[in-house]
Amino acid sequence: MAKKSKKTNVKKTTDKKSKILYWLAAIVIGLPLILLAFIYLTTKEQAGTPTVGNRFKNSLDPEITEKQITQIKDDLKFDGMDDVEINLQSATLHITIDLDDKANNNRVSSVLNQAYDKVSAVLPVDKYFTNRKDVKMYDLDIHVYNFIPEGDDTTGWVYKEKIKNAASKNAVVDTLSKPRNNEVSQSLLDGQKEAATANDKK
């Protein structure tokens, strides 16, 4: 009888160990499956929902208002002006002024500077177009031209731009209608003409 009892105890111990191993295996396999199922369901619920953010958070303070933009547009009136466009996009105030086709270099330069001053009167440069320690502000980009040339003939064409980046101390003026390097510009034009001629011959 003692031998039989010993065998029974051994069998019970083995069964107990088997059950423990079974449950451990179930937990080891089950936990990752549960985690994957949770991730899948969470992702499925969020599918199609756009991620909303604001890259100008804690910036652009004070903000430029529609009322100020309207006031600037009303102030930008010049003799011989054909059209003016003003818009605010991506933290940049863009202004484009189209003058009479006969406006010369001096006239374009004068209107460019006057436009900058008129904008500054409504939106002080130090306040709206200059970064502060922890606040990034707007950029100002003003374009003034007399006409847009058609073809290769650019005789009399004047196109100037004045930019005040918020990170820069001073505004910069550039003449877009005049190449900075005549030799490089002419070389590029000659290359374009040669390429166009080669294409026409094919």
Side-chain angles (χ1 to χ4, degrees):
M1 292 293 291
K3 288 183 180 180
K4 188 176 181 181
S5 178
K6 189 174 181 182
K7 285 183 180 179
T8 304
N9 289 337
V10 170
K11 188 177 181 182
K12 285 182 178 179
T13 304
T14 304
D15 290 343
K16 193 174 182 181
K17 286 182 178 179
S18 296
K19 286 181 180 179
I20 292 171
L21 289 173
Y22 171 78
W23 282 109
L24 283 174
I27 291 170
V28 169
I29 295 171
L31 279 178
L33 290 175
I34 292 170
L35 183 61
L36 287 172
F38 175 76
I39 293 170
Y40 171 76
L41 292 173
T42 304
T43 306
K44 191 175 181 181
E45 286 178 4
Q46 294 177 350
T49 304
T51 302
V52 180
N54 183 2
R55 67 190 180 97
F56 299 122
K57 189 177 180 180
N58 299 324
S59 298
L60 309 181
D61 182 25
E63 291 187 5
I64 295 175
T65 64
E66 286 295 329
K67 184 177 179 180
Q68 290 171 317
I69 292 174
T70 301
Q71 183 181 346
I72 290 170
K73 191 168 185 177
D74 291 340
D75 291 345
L76 294 177
K77 306 291 185 185
F78 301 98
D79 293 335
M81 185 181 76
D82 291 339
D83 190 26
V84 59
E85 292 181 5
I86 178 169
N87 61 72
L88 183 63
Q89 292 180 342
S90 299
T92 301
L93 184 64
H94 298 276
I95 297 173
T96 304
I97 299 173
D98 180 8
L99 297 178
D100 183 88
D101 291 359
K102 295 180 180 179
N104 59 21
N105 185 72
N106 290 337
R107 179 60 180 157
V108 172
S109 294
S110 176
V111 170
L112 183 68
N113 291 323
Q114 287 180 59
Y116 184 85
D117 291 340
K118 288 187 176 186
V119 172
S120 300
V122 179
L123 303 170
V125 171
D126 290 343
K127 186 176 181 180
Y128 287 90
F129 303 106
T130 304
N131 290 340
R132 297 192 296 278
K133 185 178 180 181
D134 298 319
V135 182
K136 292 184 179 181
M137 294 305 295
Y138 298 91
D139 294 330
L140 175 60
D141 187 15
I142 303 175
H143 295 248
V144 180
Y145 64 92
N146 53 2
F147 64 87
I148 300 298
E150 296 180 3
D152 296 333
D153 187 10
T154 59
T155 305
W157 178 41
V158 184
Y159 193 136
K160 292 180 179 288
E161 178 184 28
K162 190 165 189 173
I163 300 176
K164 171 61 177 74
N165 289 321
S168 303
K169 187 176 181 180
N170 300 312
V172 177
V173 176
D174 195 10
T175 302
L176 304 180
S177 54
K178 184 179 179 181
R180 294 181 180 179
N181 189 313
N182 288 322
E183 290 182 7
V184 173
S185 176
Q186 191 59 48
S187 175
L188 291 171
L189 288 172
D190 291 342
Q192 288 179 347
K193 288 179 181 178
E194 288 176 6
T197 302
N199 287 332
D200 291 340
K201 290 180 179 179
K202 288 182 180 179

